[in-house]
Amino acid sequence: MELIENNPFRVLGLPLTASVREIDKRSQDLETFAEMGKSKTFDTDFLNFVPVIRTSENVSNARKKLQLDKEK
């Protein structure tokens, strides 16, 4: 379950085909929202599933994982 809950693409609300530019843009947007104490939802969030927690730390970790090719 941990693998699914903390999947970087799920945390960022992006498809697996997202470009590096899309990943950077989305992570910057989500970090800004998190700093303001707000959360954003996306179509990729499964409502009946475990909710996605998007803190600045989670978003930053997701971005770092996706910058490494072997982590993708």
Side-chain angles (χ1 to χ4, degrees):
M1 206 60 167
E2 178 75 21
L3 182 63
I4 294 171
E5 289 177 21
N6 293 321
N7 180 298
F9 288 103
R10 182 171 184 256
V11 171
L12 297 178
L14 290 170
L16 298 175
T17 58
S19 68
V20 173
R21 185 175 182 175
E22 290 171 316
I23 292 168
D24 287 341
K25 172 99 172 84
R26 179 65 61 87
S27 59
Q28 289 172 357
D29 290 345
L30 290 174
E31 285 176 354
T32 301
F33 269 85
E35 289 171 4
M36 295 187 314
K38 297 183 179 183
S39 184
K40 201 167 185 182
T41 59
F42 302 99
D43 293 339
T44 56
D45 295 346
F46 303 112
L47 299 177
N48 295 331
F49 202 63
V50 178
V52 180
I53 300 171
R54 293 185 173 105
T55 63
S56 285
E57 184 179 338
N58 287 353
V59 171
S60 177
N61 288 339
R63 177 197 281 181
K64 288 176 185 175
K65 286 181 182 178
L66 293 179
Q67 287 176 342
L68 302 172
D69 284 337
K70 69 177 183 177
E71 293 289 331
K72 287 183 183 176

